[in-house]
Amino acid sequence: MYATQAMAFAAPLAKELDENKVTPGVLGFIVFAVMAGGVWMLMKSMNRHMSMVNFEETPAQTPAASAQSSKQPAENEPKPAAPQGE
């Protein structure tokens, strides 16, 4: 069936409808239900994949630990020579 033939059959039916009362109908409900089901399946899949992620963040250094580490000389810095006894 061609689109022009479908329009010829649908045109008389459209005139019988009340123009102030237009609803999406069964087709609109079916499309909405399929989209809602798809979103539900995607959310379920995302939840399953996110539960597989094992991310452990390294703890942040406390200010006391960072101050202590800054007092220690770096490995590549020369160390001061020890004083020689007389």
Side-chain angles (χ1 to χ4, degrees):
M1 181 184 266
Y2 296 108
T4 55
Q5 291 174 338
M7 288 302 293
F9 289 121
L13 295 174
K15 290 183 181 186
E16 294 174 8
L17 293 176
D18 183 12
E19 292 181 10
N20 296 325
K21 184 180 177 185
V22 178
T23 62
V26 177
L27 180 62
F29 175 75
I30 291 171
V31 169
F32 181 78
V34 168
M35 289 174 58
V39 168
W40 179 75
M41 290 188 328
L42 283 172
M43 293 294 289
K44 192 172 180 180
S45 174
M46 183 187 70
N47 191 19
R48 186 173 47 243
H49 282 87
M50 291 299 286
S51 67
M52 289 185 211
V53 174
N54 186 13
F55 175 72
E56 294 180 13
E57 188 174 350
T58 56
Q61 288 185 343
T62 59
S66 62
Q68 184 180 11
S69 64
S70 65
K71 290 180 183 177
Q72 295 175 351
E75 292 179 8
N76 59 357
E77 289 182 15
K79 295 181 181 177
Q84 298 281 331
E86 292 181 32

Coordinates of all heavy atoms in Angstrom, one line a residue:
M1 N 0.8 -1.2 0.0 CA 0.0 0.0 0.0 C 0.9 1.2 0.0 O 1.8 1.3 0.8 CB -0.9 0.0 1.2 CG -1.8 1.1 1.3 SD -2.8 1.2 2.8 CE -4.2 0.4 2.3
Y2 N 0.6 2.1 -0.9 CA 1.4 3.4 -1.0 C 0.9 4.4 0.0 O -0.2 4.3 0.5 CB 1.3 3.9 -2.4 CG 1.9 3.0 -3.4 CD1 1.1 2.3 -4.3 CD2 3.3 2.9 -3.5 CE1 1.7 1.5 -5.3 CE2 3.8 2.0 -4.4 CZ 3.1 1.3 -5.3 OH 3.6 0.5 -6.2
A3 N 1.7 5.4 0.3 CA 1.4 6.4 1.3 C 0.2 7.2 0.8 O -0.7 7.6 1.6 CB 2.5 7.3 1.5
T4 N 0.1 7.5 -0.5 CA -1.1 8.2 -1.0 C -2.4 7.5 -0.8 O -3.4 8.1 -0.6 CB -0.9 8.6 -2.5 OG1 -0.6 7.4 -3.2 CG2 0.3 9.5 -2.7
Q5 N -2.3 6.2 -1.0 CA -3.6 5.4 -0.8 C -3.9 5.4 0.7 O -5.1 5.4 1.0 CB -3.3 3.9 -1.2 CG -3.2 3.8 -2.8 CD -2.9 2.4 -3.2 OE1 -2.3 1.6 -2.4 NE2 -3.1 2.1 -4.4
A6 N -2.9 5.3 1.6 CA -3.2 5.3 3.0 C -3.8 6.6 3.4 O -4.8 6.7 4.2 CB -1.9 5.1 3.8
M7 N -3.4 7.7 2.8 CA -3.9 9.0 3.1 C -5.4 9.2 2.6 O -6.2 9.8 3.2 CB -3.1 10.2 2.5 CG -1.7 10.3 3.2 SD -1.9 10.7 5.0 CE -2.7 12.3 4.9
A8 N -5.6 8.5 1.5 CA -7.0 8.6 1.0 C -8.0 7.8 1.9 O -9.1 8.3 2.0 CB -7.0 8.0 -0.4
F9 N -7.5 6.8 2.5 CA -8.4 6.0 3.4 C -8.5 6.7 4.8 O -9.5 6.7 5.4 CB -7.9 4.6 3.6 CG -8.1 3.7 2.4 CD1 -7.0 3.1 1.9 CD2 -9.3 3.5 1.9 CE1 -7.1 2.3 0.8 CE2 -9.5 2.7 0.8 CZ -8.4 2.1 0.2
A10 N -7.4 7.4 5.2 CA -7.4 8.0 6.5 C -8.1 9.4 6.5 O -8.6 9.8 7.6 CB -5.9 8.2 7.0
A11 N -8.2 10.0 5.4 CA -8.8 11.4 5.4 C -10.2 11.4 5.8 O -10.6 12.2 6.6 CB -8.6 12.0 4.0
P12 N -11.1 10.5 5.4 CA -12.5 10.5 5.8 C -12.6 10.1 7.3 O -13.5 10.7 8.0 CB -13.2 9.4 5.0 CG -12.3 9.2 3.9 CD -10.9 9.5 4.3
L13 N -11.7 9.3 7.9 CA -11.7 8.9 9.3 C -11.3 10.1 10.1 O -11.8 10.3 11.2 CB -10.8 7.8 9.5 CG -11.2 6.4 8.9 CD1 -10.1 5.4 9.1 CD2 -12.5 5.9 9.4
A14 N -10.4 10.9 9.6 CA -9.9 12.1 10.4 C -11.0 13.1 10.6 O -11.1 13.8 11.6 CB -8.7 12.7 9.7
K15 N -11.9 13.2 9.6 CA -13.0 14.2 9.7 C -14.1 13.8 10.7 O -14.8 14.7 11.2 CB -13.6 14.4 8.3 CG -12.7 15.1 7.4 CD -13.4 15.4 6.1 CE -12.4 16.1 5.2 NZ -12.9 16.5 3.9
E16 N -14.1 12.5 11.1 CA -15.1 12.1 12.0 C -14.6 12.4 13.5 O -15.4 12.4 14.4 CB -15.3 10.6 11.9 CG -16.0 10.2 10.6 CD -16.0 8.7 10.4 OE1 -15.7 7.9 11.4 OE2 -16.4 8.2 9.3
L17 N -13.3 12.6 13.7 CA -12.8 12.9 15.0 C -13.2 14.3 15.5 O -13.2 15.2 14.7 CB -11.3 12.7 15.0 CG -10.8 11.3 14.8 CD1 -9.2 11.3 14.8 CD2 -11.2 10.4 15.9
D18 N -13.3 14.4 16.8 CA -13.6 15.7 17.3 C -12.2 16.4 17.4 O -11.3 15.9 18.0 CB -14.1 15.6 18.7 CG -14.5 16.9 19.4 OD1 -14.5 17.9 18.6 OD2 -14.7 16.9 20.6
E19 N -12.1 17.6 16.8 CA -10.8 18.3 16.7 C -10.4 18.8 18.0 O -9.2 19.1 18.2 CB -10.9 19.4 15.7 CG -11.1 18.9 14.3 CD -11.2 20.1 13.3 OE1 -10.9 21.2 13.6 OE2 -11.5 19.8 12.1
N20 N -11.3 19.0 19.0 CA -10.9 19.5 20.3 C -10.5 18.3 21.3 O -10.0 18.6 22.4 CB -12.1 20.2 21.0 CG -12.4 21.5 20.2 OD1 -11.5 22.1 19.7 ND2 -13.7 21.8 20.1
K21 N -10.6 17.1 20.8 CA -10.3 16.0 21.7 C -9.4 15.0 20.9 O -9.8 14.1 20.2 CB -11.5 15.2 22.1 CG -11.3 14.1 23.1 CD -12.6 13.4 23.4 CE -12.3 12.2 24.3 NZ -13.5 11.5 24.6
V22 N -8.1 15.3 20.9 CA -7.1 14.5 20.2 C -6.2 13.8 21.3 O -5.7 14.5 22.2 CB -6.2 15.3 19.3 CG1 -5.2 14.4 18.6 CG2 -7.1 16.0 18.3
T23 N -6.1 12.5 21.2 CA -5.3 11.7 22.2 C -4.2 11.0 21.4 O -4.4 10.7 20.3 CB -6.1 10.8 23.0 OG1 -6.7 9.8 22.1 CG2 -7.2 11.5 23.8
P24 N -3.1 10.6 22.1 CA -2.1 9.8 21.4 C -2.6 8.4 21.1 O -2.0 7.8 20.1 CB -0.9 9.7 22.4 CG -1.5 10.2 23.7 CD -2.7 10.9 23.5
G25 N -3.5 7.8 21.8 CA -4.1 6.5 21.4 C -3.2 5.4 21.9 O -2.2 5.5 22.6
V26 N -3.5 4.2 21.3 CA -2.8 3.0 21.7 C -1.4 3.0 21.1 O -0.4 2.6 21.8 CB -3.6 1.8 21.1 CG1 -2.8 0.5 21.4 CG2 -5.0 1.7 21.7
L27 N -1.2 3.5 20.0 CA 0.2 3.6 19.4 C 1.1 4.4 20.2 O 2.2 4.1 20.5 CB 0.1 4.1 17.9 CG 1.5 4.2 17.2 CD1 2.1 2.8 17.1 CD2 1.3 4.9 15.9
G28 N 0.6 5.6 20.7 CA 1.4 6.4 21.6 C 1.8 5.7 22.9 O 2.9 5.8 23.4
F29 N 0.8 5.0 23.4 CA 1.1 4.2 24.7 C 2.1 3.1 24.4 O 3.0 3.0 25.2 CB -0.2 3.6 25.2 CG 0.1 2.7 26.4 CD1 0.4 3.3 27.6 CD2 0.1 1.4 26.3 CE1 0.6 2.5 28.7 CE2 0.3 0.5 27.4 CZ 0.6 1.1 28.6
I30 N 2.0 2.4 23.3 CA 3.0 1.4 23.0 C 4.4 1.9 22.8 O 5.4 1.4 23.3 CB 2.5 0.6 21.8 CG1 1.3 -0.2 22.1 CG2 3.6 -0.4 21.2 CD1 0.6 -0.9 20.9
V31 N 4.5 3.0 22.1 CA 5.8 3.7 21.9 C 6.4 4.1 23.2 O 7.6 3.9 23.5 CB 5.7 4.9 20.9 CG1 7.0 5.7 20.9 CG2 5.4 4.3 19.5
F32 N 5.6 4.7 24.1 CA 6.0 5.2 25.4 C 6.5 4.0 26.2 O 7.5 4.0 26.9 CB 4.9 6.0 26.1 CG 5.3 6.5 27.4 CD1 6.2 7.6 27.5 CD2 4.9 5.8 28.6 CE1 6.5 8.1 28.8 CE2 5.3 6.3 29.8 CZ 6.1 7.4 29.9
A33 N 5.7 2.9 26.2 CA 6.0 1.7 27.0 C 7.3 1.1 26.6 O 8.1 0.7 27.4 CB 4.9 0.7 27.0
V34 N 7.5 1.0 25.3 CA 8.8 0.5 24.7 C 10.0 1.3 25.2 O 11.0 0.8 25.6 CB 8.7 0.3 23.2 CG1 10.1 0.0 22.6 CG2 7.7 -0.8 22.8
M35 N 9.8 2.6 25.1 CA 10.9 3.5 25.5 C 11.2 3.4 27.0 O 12.3 3.4 27.4 CB 10.6 5.0 25.1 CG 10.6 5.2 23.6 SD 10.1 6.9 23.1 CE 11.2 7.9 24.0
A36 N 10.1 3.3 27.8 CA 10.3 3.2 29.2 C 11.0 1.9 29.6 O 11.9 1.8 30.4 CB 9.0 3.3 29.9
G37 N 10.6 0.8 28.9 CA 11.3 -0.5 29.1 C 12.8 -0.4 28.7 O 13.6 -1.0 29.4
G38 N 13.1 0.3 27.6 CA 14.5 0.4 27.2 C 15.3 1.2 28.2 O 16.4 0.8 28.5
V39 N 14.7 2.2 28.7 CA 15.4 3.0 29.7 C 15.6 2.2 31.0 O 16.7 2.2 31.6 CB 14.7 4.3 30.1 CG1 15.2 5.0 31.3 CG2 14.7 5.3 28.9
W40 N 14.6 1.4 31.4 CA 14.8 0.5 32.6 C 15.9 -0.5 32.4 O 16.7 -0.7 33.3 CB 13.4 -0.1 32.8 CG 13.5 -1.1 34.0 CD1 13.5 -0.7 35.3 CD2 13.6 -2.5 34.0 NE1 13.5 -1.8 36.1 CE2 13.6 -2.9 35.3 CE3 13.6 -3.4 32.9 CZ2 13.7 -4.3 35.6 CZ3 13.6 -4.8 33.3 CH2 13.7 -5.2 34.6
M41 N 16.0 -1.1 31.2 CA 17.0 -2.1 30.9 C 18.4 -1.4 30.9 O 19.4 -2.0 31.4 CB 16.8 -2.8 29.6 CG 15.6 -3.7 29.7 SD 15.3 -4.8 28.3 CE 15.8 -3.9 26.9
L42 N 18.5 -0.2 30.4 CA 19.8 0.5 30.4 C 20.2 0.9 31.8 O 21.4 0.8 32.1 CB 19.7 1.8 29.5 CG 19.7 1.6 28.0 CD1 19.4 2.9 27.3 CD2 21.1 1.1 27.6
M43 N 19.3 1.3 32.6 CA 19.6 1.7 34.0 C 20.1 0.4 34.8 O 21.0 0.5 35.6 CB 18.4 2.3 34.7 CG 18.1 3.7 34.2 SD 19.4 4.9 34.5 CE 19.2 5.1 36.2
K44 N 19.4 -0.7 34.5 CA 19.8 -2.0 35.2 C 21.2 -2.4 34.8 O 22.0 -2.8 35.6 CB 18.7 -3.0 34.8 CG 18.8 -4.3 35.7 CD 17.7 -5.2 35.4 CE 17.8 -6.4 36.2 NZ 16.7 -7.4 36.0
S45 N 21.5 -2.3 33.5 CA 22.8 -2.6 33.0 C 23.9 -1.7 33.5 O 24.9 -2.2 33.9 CB 22.8 -2.6 31.5 OG 24.1 -2.8 31.0
M46 N 23.6 -0.4 33.6 CA 24.5 0.6 34.1 C 24.8 0.3 35.6 O 26.0 0.3 36.0 CB 24.0 2.0 34.0 CG 25.0 3.0 34.5 SD 24.4 4.7 34.5 CE 23.2 4.6 35.8
N47 N 23.8 -0.1 36.4 CA 23.9 -0.4 37.8 C 24.8 -1.6 37.9 O 25.7 -1.6 38.8 CB 22.6 -0.6 38.4 CG 22.7 -0.7 39.9 OD1 23.6 -0.2 40.5 ND2 21.7 -1.2 40.5
R48 N 24.7 -2.6 37.1 CA 25.5 -3.8 37.2 C 26.9 -3.5 36.8 O 27.8 -4.0 37.5 CB 24.9 -4.9 36.3 CG 25.6 -6.2 36.4 CD 24.9 -7.3 35.6 NE 24.6 -6.9 34.2 CZ 23.3 -6.9 33.7 NH1 22.3 -7.2 34.5 NH2 23.1 -6.5 32.5
H49 N 27.2 -2.7 35.8 CA 28.5 -2.4 35.4 C 29.2 -1.5 36.5 O 30.4 -1.6 36.7 CB 28.5 -1.7 34.1 CG 28.4 -2.7 32.9 ND1 27.2 -3.1 32.5 CD2 29.3 -3.3 32.2 CE1 27.3 -3.9 31.5 NE2 28.7 -4.1 31.3
M50 N 28.5 -0.5 37.1 CA 29.1 0.3 38.1 C 29.4 -0.4 39.3 O 30.3 0.0 40.1 CB 28.1 1.5 38.4 CG 27.9 2.5 37.2 SD 29.5 3.3 36.8 CE 29.7 4.4 38.1
S51 N 28.7 -1.5 39.6 CA 29.0 -2.3 40.8 C 30.3 -3.1 40.6 O 30.9 -3.5 41.6 CB 27.8 -3.2 41.2 OG 27.7 -4.2 40.2
M52 N 30.7 -3.3 39.4 CA 31.9 -4.0 39.1 C 33.2 -3.1 39.3 O 34.3 -3.6 39.4 CB 31.9 -4.6 37.7 CG 31.0 -5.7 37.5 SD 31.2 -6.3 35.8 CE 29.6 -6.9 35.5
V53 N 33.0 -1.8 39.3 CA 34.1 -0.9 39.4 C 34.7 -1.0 40.8 O 33.9 -0.8 41.8 CB 33.7 0.5 39.0 CG1 34.8 1.5 39.3 CG2 33.2 0.6 37.6
N54 N 36.0 -1.2 41.0 CA 36.6 -1.2 42.3 C 37.7 -0.1 42.3 O 38.8 -0.3 42.0 CB 37.3 -2.6 42.5 CG 37.8 -2.8 43.9 OD1 37.5 -2.0 44.8 ND2 38.6 -3.8 44.1
F55 N 37.2 1.1 42.7 CA 38.1 2.2 42.7 C 38.4 2.6 44.1 O 37.5 2.9 44.9 CB 37.5 3.4 42.0 CG 38.3 4.7 42.0 CD1 39.4 4.8 41.3 CD2 37.9 5.7 42.8 CE1 40.2 6.0 41.4 CE2 38.6 6.9 42.9 CZ 39.8 7.0 42.2
E56 N 39.7 2.5 44.5 CA 40.1 3.0 45.8 C 41.0 4.2 45.7 O 42.0 4.1 45.1 CB 40.8 1.8 46.5 CG 39.9 0.6 46.8 CD 40.7 -0.5 47.5 OE1 41.8 -0.2 48.0 OE2 40.2 -1.6 47.6
E57 N 40.5 5.3 46.3 CA 41.3 6.5 46.2 C 42.4 6.5 47.2 O 42.2 6.0 48.4 CB 40.3 7.7 46.5 CG 41.0 9.0 46.2 CD 40.0 10.2 46.4 OE1 38.8 9.9 46.4 OE2 40.4 11.3 46.4
T58 N 43.5 7.0 46.9 CA 44.6 7.1 47.8 C 44.3 8.1 48.9 O 43.8 9.2 48.5 CB 46.0 7.4 47.1 OG1 45.8 8.7 46.4 CG2 46.4 6.4 46.1
P59 N 44.6 7.9 50.1 CA 44.3 8.8 51.2 C 45.1 10.1 51.0 O 46.3 10.0 50.7 CB 44.6 8.1 52.5 CG 45.5 7.0 52.1 CD 45.2 6.7 50.7
A60 N 44.5 11.2 51.3 CA 45.3 12.5 51.2 C 46.2 12.6 52.4 O 45.9 12.1 53.5 CB 44.3 13.6 51.2
Q61 N 47.4 13.2 52.2 CA 48.3 13.4 53.3 C 47.8 14.4 54.3 O 47.3 15.4 53.9 CB 49.7 13.8 52.8 CG 50.4 12.7 52.0 CD 51.8 13.2 51.6 OE1 52.1 14.3 51.6 NE2 52.7 12.2 51.3
T62 N 48.0 14.2 55.6 CA 47.7 15.2 56.6 C 48.7 16.3 56.6 O 49.9 16.1 56.1 CB 47.6 14.5 58.0 OG1 48.9 14.0 58.3 CG2 46.6 13.4 58.0
P63 N 48.4 17.5 57.0 CA 49.4 18.6 57.0 C 50.6 18.2 57.8 O 51.7 18.6 57.5 CB 48.6 19.7 57.7 CG 47.2 19.4 57.5 CD 47.1 17.9 57.5
A64 N 50.5 17.5 58.9 CA 51.7 17.1 59.7 C 52.6 16.2 58.9 O 53.8 16.3 59.0 CB 51.3 16.4 61.0
A65 N 52.0 15.2 58.2 CA 52.8 14.3 57.4 C 53.5 15.0 56.3 O 54.7 14.7 55.9 CB 52.0 13.2 56.9
S66 N 52.8 15.9 55.6 CA 53.5 16.6 54.5 C 54.6 17.6 55.0 O 55.6 17.8 54.3 CB 52.4 17.4 53.7 OG 51.8 18.4 54.6
A67 N 54.4 18.2 56.2 CA 55.5 19.0 56.7 C 56.7 18.2 57.1 O 57.8 18.6 56.9 CB 55.0 19.8 58.0
Q68 N 56.5 17.0 57.6 CA 57.6 16.2 58.0 C 58.3 15.7 56.8 O 59.6 15.6 56.8 CB 57.1 15.0 58.8 CG 58.2 14.1 59.4 CD 57.6 12.9 60.2 OE1 56.4 12.7 60.1 NE2 58.5 12.2 60.8
S69 N 57.6 15.3 55.7 CA 58.3 14.9 54.5 C 59.0 16.0 53.8 O 60.0 15.7 53.2 CB 57.2 14.3 53.6 OG 56.3 15.3 53.1
S70 N 58.6 17.3 54.0 CA 59.3 18.4 53.4 C 60.6 18.7 54.1 O 61.6 19.2 53.6 CB 58.5 19.6 53.3 OG 58.2 20.1 54.6
K71 N 60.7 18.3 55.4 CA 62.0 18.5 56.2 C 63.1 17.5 55.8 O 64.2 17.8 56.0 CB 61.7 18.4 57.7 CG 60.8 19.6 58.2 CD 60.6 19.4 59.7 CE 59.7 20.5 60.2 NZ 59.4 20.4 61.6
Q72 N 62.7 16.3 55.3 CA 63.7 15.3 55.0 C 64.4 15.8 53.7 O 63.7 16.2 52.8 CB 63.0 14.0 54.8 CG 62.4 13.4 56.1 CD 61.6 12.1 55.8 OE1 61.5 11.8 54.7 NE2 61.2 11.5 56.9
P73 N 65.7 15.6 53.6 CA 66.4 16.0 52.4 C 66.1 15.0 51.3 O 65.9 13.9 51.5 CB 67.9 15.9 52.8 CG 67.9 15.0 54.0 CD 66.6 15.1 54.7
A74 N 66.1 15.6 50.1 CA 65.9 14.7 48.9 C 67.1 13.9 48.7 O 68.2 14.2 49.1 CB 65.6 15.6 47.7
E75 N 66.9 12.8 47.9 CA 68.0 11.9 47.7 C 69.1 12.5 46.8 O 70.3 12.1 47.0 CB 67.5 10.6 47.0 CG 66.6 9.8 47.9 CD 66.0 8.6 47.2 OE1 66.5 8.3 46.1 OE2 65.2 7.9 47.8
N76 N 68.8 13.4 45.9 CA 69.8 13.9 45.0 C 70.5 15.2 45.6 O 71.4 15.7 45.0 CB 69.2 14.2 43.7 CG 68.0 15.2 43.8 OD1 67.7 15.6 44.8 ND2 67.5 15.6 42.6
E77 N 70.1 15.6 46.8 CA 70.7 16.8 47.4 C 72.0 16.3 48.1 O 72.0 15.3 48.8 CB 69.8 17.5 48.4 CG 68.7 18.2 47.7 CD 67.8 18.9 48.8 OE1 68.3 19.1 49.9 OE2 66.7 19.3 48.4
P78 N 73.1 17.1 48.1 CA 74.3 16.7 48.8 C 74.1 16.9 50.3 O 73.5 17.8 50.8 CB 75.4 17.6 48.3 CG 74.6 18.8 47.7 CD 73.3 18.3 47.3
K79 N 74.6 15.9 51.1 CA 74.5 16.0 52.5 C 75.7 16.8 53.1 O 76.8 16.7 52.5 CB 74.5 14.6 53.1 CG 73.2 13.8 52.6 CD 73.2 12.4 53.2 CE 72.0 11.7 52.7 NZ 71.9 10.3 53.2
P80 N 75.5 17.5 54.1 CA 76.6 18.3 54.7 C 77.6 17.3 55.3 O 77.2 16.2 55.9 CB 75.9 19.1 55.8 CG 74.6 18.5 56.1 CD 74.2 17.8 54.8
A81 N 78.8 17.7 55.2 CA 79.9 16.8 55.7 C 79.9 16.9 57.2 O 79.6 17.9 57.9 CB 81.2 17.3 55.2
A82 N 80.2 15.7 57.9 CA 80.3 15.6 59.3 C 81.5 16.3 59.8 O 82.6 16.2 59.2 CB 80.2 14.2 59.7
P83 N 81.5 17.1 60.9 CA 82.7 17.8 61.4 C 83.7 16.7 61.9 O 83.4 15.7 62.5 CB 82.2 18.6 62.5 CG 80.8 18.1 62.9 CD 80.3 17.3 61.7
Q84 N 85.0 17.0 61.5 CA 86.1 16.2 61.9 C 86.5 16.5 63.4 O 86.6 17.7 63.7 CB 87.3 16.4 61.0 CG 86.9 16.0 59.5 CD 87.0 14.5 59.3 OE1 87.7 13.8 60.0 NE2 86.2 14.0 58.4
G85 N 86.8 15.5 64.2 CA 87.3 15.8 65.5 C 88.8 16.2 65.5 O 89.5 15.8 64.7
E86 N 89.3 17.1 66.5 CA 90.6 17.5 66.5 C 91.5 16.6 67.3 O 91.3 16.0 68.2 CB 90.7 18.9 67.2 CG 90.1 19.9 66.3 CD 90.1 21.3 66.9 OE1 91.1 21.6 67.6 OE2 89.2 22.0 66.7

